[in-house]
Amino acid sequence: MKVRIVLGSGASHMAEEIKNKVEKFDKLLIESEVKTFPDGEKYVRVLGDGKEVLVVQSMFRPQNEHLVELLLLGDALREKGFKHLKAVVPYLAYSRQDRVTKEGEPISVRAIMKAISLYYDELYVFDLHNPKTLEYFPGKALNVSPAKAIANYFKDKLGEGLVLAPDRGALERAKTVANILGLEFSYFEKKRISPTEIQMRPVEVDVEEKNVLIVDDIISTGGTMIKAANILKGMGASKVFVVATHGVFAEGAIERVSKAVDELAVTNSIPTPVSKISLVEDILSL
Amino acid sequence: MKVRIVLGSGASHMAEEIKNKVEKFDKLLIESEVKTFPDGEKYVRVLGDGKEVLVVQSMFRPQNEHLVELLLLGDALREKGFKHLKAVVPYLAYSRQDRVTKEGEPISVRAIMKAISLYYDELYVFDLHNPKTLEYFPGKALNVSPAKAIANYFKDKLGEGLVLAPDRGALERAKTVANILGLEFSYFEKKRISPTEIQMRPVEVDVEEKNVLIVDDIISTGGTMIKAANILKGMGASKVFVVATHGVFAEGAIERVSKAVDELAVTNSIPTPVSKISLVEDILSL
């Protein structure tokens, strides 16, 4: 029996592409109804049967509603007799609230993962902020890399360019993308040069007259990316491209980053005007 | 060691009264911080220690945020070393989604209760729509009656009046209030007299020149209450009072019901302009 796919409202922006490609991946899309009652409560319904199902629900804003929907879909599917439920959450809300920084705080991402585990046997997220937090999910949990999709999108734009991480902690991600493309990679070193100023410079690479792709997991204000792009331009780089997995853009960030770089792109883990890189094939492969 | 009290944002409308009365109930209120990040994620923090704690969080709109907050507070309290957590949820969202009416639906209230049970050992709700659903909570779960608070509020207004339930299913609630007040009670019988019309009449009681209190669990549109009040007035009742535990009022419902009756009141399980009956003492007794 084919694996079923169910979409929550956090995946409705992927619905058409999933519909078109689902057969190729030997899965079956079943219909679901998701709406909000006048009093604000969510209502869900699934119209189909099966045993194994992949529920796709990204948790961008309104993230709390998307979580509740995911739980209600899980309850409906169990009620329907589905035996094995996989949650595919391309963007997992609360992933940056992954530790107690001030006494009295929760580890919020743990609470979210525990809630998902009430109904789901497996959890798939893309480019999780802190992959160690997967341990909080009691079942099988996997952090999926979007590197192939990102590399594929930029492969004809970079030439003999290079791939940079905005900081050392993000190096592995840049390296993976660079390796797929057969390009050089490095990262920005950050050095505090005064109480208010941090100097950034790319380590041990020559960027002059080269196209550069900066790769990060999340873009929020975009401040770091703009600074990095300006430095690269100042050092004589040809084109500067900026990509991130999750476009959690603060107000005006898309415009500000776009103005500072040659191209800005993110995946469709969150639907934004620059979500040009689709994760649908990666999702359908799960 | 005194039992601690923590308030979520779904209890902030009760904060002052709780602060004033907490000592009398030999409990200790500990501070909590609840805010929303610019991207829509909730942030909570609890500033205090202890072993046993009562977290008060009513789940009115935005109910999904209130649920997530309750989970985050639970995580923070466990992280702090609290051993025994009681959730006090005066109004439990999704309580009316208590059965599968169309194939493919979830039992939403079950999902909510299971989520709460991730962190809480005990659950207290007030006047639950369907008390049988308490079974879905794996720990100790209790349905608390607001009858004493309701009776207390109306005791000087009813005289030799009577208490009515808007339908037979709600009779027990009206009976409890009536018994506290030492008054007569009954219910409205509903009879379909044409495909579009249902006749309502109070069973075996004389309402003429009497003050009548109609008691229900939830008022939403208020249609039934208005109809019942008009019938009672037509039968010669003196004053008609309407009370419900939870004021889940649809747009304009407060005004419409208020115009049709002598007084409308609900408890503060949900903060509304007519939430005149406080559950705080009942909560602090738990």
Side-chain angles (χ1 to χ4, degrees):
Chain A
M1 191 186 261
K2 282 185 184 179
V3 171
R4 271 42 174 170
I5 309 260
V6 167
L7 308 182
S9 71
S12 57
H13 62 292
M14 302 175 175
E16 209 181 303
E17 190 185 347
I18 289 177
K19 220 172 279 177
N20 292 335
K21 293 183 176 168
V22 68
E23 247 183 274
K24 192 174 125 194
F25 288 84
D26 203 32
K27 294 187 169 72
L28 185 72
L29 182 64
I30 62 175
E31 259 190 273
S32 56
E33 191 186 339
V34 177
K35 62 179 187 185
T36 307
F37 284 118
D39 67 357
E41 292 184 3
K42 308 294 296 188
Y43 171 89
V44 311
R45 193 178 169 210
V46 290
L47 305 151
D49 294 285
K51 279 190 176 156
E52 193 177 333
V53 62
L54 229 83
V55 179
V56 189
Q57 173 79 325
S58 203
M59 274 176 67
F60 48 85
R61 192 171 200 160
Q63 53 280 87
N64 303 306
E65 291 188 24
H66 285 148
L67 173 67
V68 171
E69 250 181 47
L70 186 60
L71 302 184
L72 299 187
L73 285 168
D75 194 276
L77 289 162
R78 293 285 178 198
E79 186 70 28
K80 270 284 214 170
F82 279 83
K83 293 289 175 239
H84 196 83
L85 274 62
K86 299 178 179 183
V88 183
V89 185
Y91 177 65
L92 185 80
Y94 295 92
S95 57
R96 287 176 290 178
Q97 298 194 49
D98 61 341
R99 70 196 73 198
V100 174
T101 50
K102 275 193 244 172
E103 200 195 323
E105 288 177 353
I107 298 176
S108 303
V109 68
R110 172 172 61 191
I112 304 304
M113 286 191 181
K114 282 172 85 166
I116 295 172
S117 77
L118 283 169
Y119 288 102
Y120 294 88
D121 304 288
E122 301 180 27
L123 171 66
Y124 295 85
V125 296
F126 280 78
D127 209 351
L128 189 64
H129 186 64
N130 176 359
K132 280 188 188 152
T133 54
L134 285 177
E135 286 170 20
Y136 295 130
F137 189 80
K140 180 184 166 191
L142 217 79
N143 187 24
V144 186
S145 166
K148 240 174 57 190
I150 289 173
N152 197 47
Y153 181 81
F154 281 102
K155 68 176 188 290
D156 298 325
K157 303 186 181 212
L158 285 170
E160 292 299 298
L162 56 96
V163 182
L164 288 180
D167 54 60
R168 191 172 182 130
L171 184 60
E172 202 55 39
R173 188 179 296 106
K175 181 181 164 185
T176 311
V177 173
N179 284 346
I180 296 171
L181 295 167
L183 297 177
E184 219 184 331
F185 64 91
S186 185
Y187 65 97
F188 278 86
E189 200 175 51
K190 288 178 180 177
K191 216 165 94 183
R192 185 168 293 280
I193 53 168
S194 87
T196 56
E197 212 184 337
I198 290 170
Q199 196 187 55
M200 281 177 77
R201 57 173 198 84
V203 173
E204 287 172 15
V205 280
D206 183 14
V207 303
E208 211 180 322
E209 283 176 38
K210 280 186 181 161
N211 294 332
V212 184
L213 174 65
I214 317 176
V215 185
D216 209 351
D217 62 338
I218 294 177
I219 301 185
S220 174
T221 64
T224 304
M225 288 302 206
I226 292 169
K227 197 171 169 185
N230 290 338
I231 289 163
L232 294 172
K233 291 281 186 173
M235 293 172 83
S238 300
K239 287 189 173 172
V240 176
F241 303 107
V242 159
V243 70
T245 309
H246 310 295
V248 189
F249 294 113
E251 174 104 33
I254 294 181
E255 294 69 29
R256 285 193 302 273
V257 178
S258 296
K259 247 167 70 179
V261 304
D262 291 278
E263 185 175 348
L264 164 65
V266 293
T267 79
N268 60 352
S269 71
I270 302 174
T272 79
V274 292
S275 297
K276 309 167 190 176
I277 302 168
S278 177
L279 300 176
V280 164
E281 300 209 354
D282 290 307
I283 290 168
L284 288 173
S285 310
L286 296 174
Chain B
M1 192 186 261
K2 281 184 184 179
V3 171
R4 271 42 175 170
I5 308 261
V6 167
L7 309 182
S9 70
S12 57
H13 62 292
M14 302 176 176
E16 210 180 303
E17 192 185 347
I18 289 177
K19 220 171 281 176
N20 292 337
K21 294 184 175 169
V22 69
E23 248 182 273
K24 192 174 125 194
F25 288 85
D26 202 33
K27 295 188 168 70
L28 185 72
L29 182 65
I30 63 177
E31 259 191 273
S32 57
E33 191 186 340
V34 177
K35 61 179 187 185
T36 307
F37 284 118
D39 66 358
E41 292 183 2
K42 306 295 296 188
Y43 170 88
V44 310
R45 191 178 170 212
V46 288
L47 305 151
D49 294 283
K51 279 190 176 156
E52 192 177 334
V53 63
L54 227 84
V55 179
V56 188
Q57 173 79 327
S58 202
M59 275 176 66
F60 48 86
R61 194 171 199 160
Q63 53 280 84
N64 303 305
E65 291 188 24
H66 286 148
L67 173 68
V68 171
E69 250 181 46
L70 187 60
L71 302 184
L72 299 186
L73 285 168
D75 195 276
L77 289 163
R78 293 284 179 198
E79 186 72 27
K80 270 283 210 167
F82 279 82
K83 294 289 174 239
H84 196 82
L85 274 62
K86 299 179 180 184
V88 182
V89 186
Y91 176 65
L92 185 79
Y94 294 93
S95 58
R96 288 176 288 178
Q97 299 195 50
D98 60 341
R99 69 197 72 198
V100 174
T101 50
K102 276 193 244 171
E103 199 194 322
E105 288 177 352
I107 298 175
S108 302
V109 69
R110 171 171 63 192
I112 303 305
M113 286 192 181
K114 282 172 84 165
I116 295 171
S117 78
L118 283 169
Y119 288 103
Y120 294 88
D121 305 288
E122 300 180 28
L123 171 65
Y124 296 85
V125 296
F126 279 79
D127 209 352
L128 189 64
H129 186 63
N130 176 359
K132 281 189 188 150
T133 56
L134 285 177
E135 286 170 20
Y136 296 131
F137 188 80
K140 179 183 166 193
L142 216 79
N143 187 25
V144 185
S145 165
K148 238 173 58 189
I150 288 173
N152 197 47
Y153 181 79
F154 281 101
K155 68 175 188 292
D156 298 327
K157 304 188 182 213
L158 286 170
E160 292 299 298
L162 55 96
V163 182
L164 288 180
D167 54 60
R168 196 179 175 124
L171 184 60
E172 202 55 38
R173 189 179 295 107
K175 181 182 165 184
T176 312
V177 173
N179 284 347
I180 296 171
L181 295 168
L183 297 178
E184 221 185 329
F185 63 91
S186 185
Y187 65 97
F188 277 87
E189 200 176 52
K190 289 179 181 178
K191 215 165 93 182
R192 184 168 293 280
I193 53 167
S194 86
T196 55
E197 211 183 337
I198 290 169
Q199 196 186 55
M200 281 177 78
R201 56 174 198 84
V203 173
E204 288 173 15
V205 279
D206 181 15
V207 302
E208 211 179 322
E209 283 177 38
K210 280 187 181 162
N211 293 331
V212 184
L213 175 65
I214 317 175
V215 185
D216 209 353
D217 63 337
I218 294 177
I219 301 184
S220 174
T221 64
T224 303
M225 288 303 206
I226 293 170
K227 197 171 168 183
N230 289 339
I231 289 164
L232 293 172
K233 292 280 187 175
M235 294 173 81
S238 301
K239 288 190 174 172
V240 177
F241 304 107
V242 159
V243 71
T245 309
H246 311 294
V248 189
F249 294 112
E251 174 107 32
I254 294 181
E255 293 68 30
R256 284 193 302 274
V257 178
S258 295
K259 248 169 68 182
V261 304
D262 291 278
E263 186 175 348
L264 164 65
V266 293
T267 79
N268 60 351
S269 70
I270 302 174
T272 78
V274 291
S275 298
K276 308 167 190 175
I277 302 168
S278 176
L279 300 176
V280 163
E281 301 209 354
D282 291 307
I283 291 169
L284 288 173
S285 310
L286 296 174

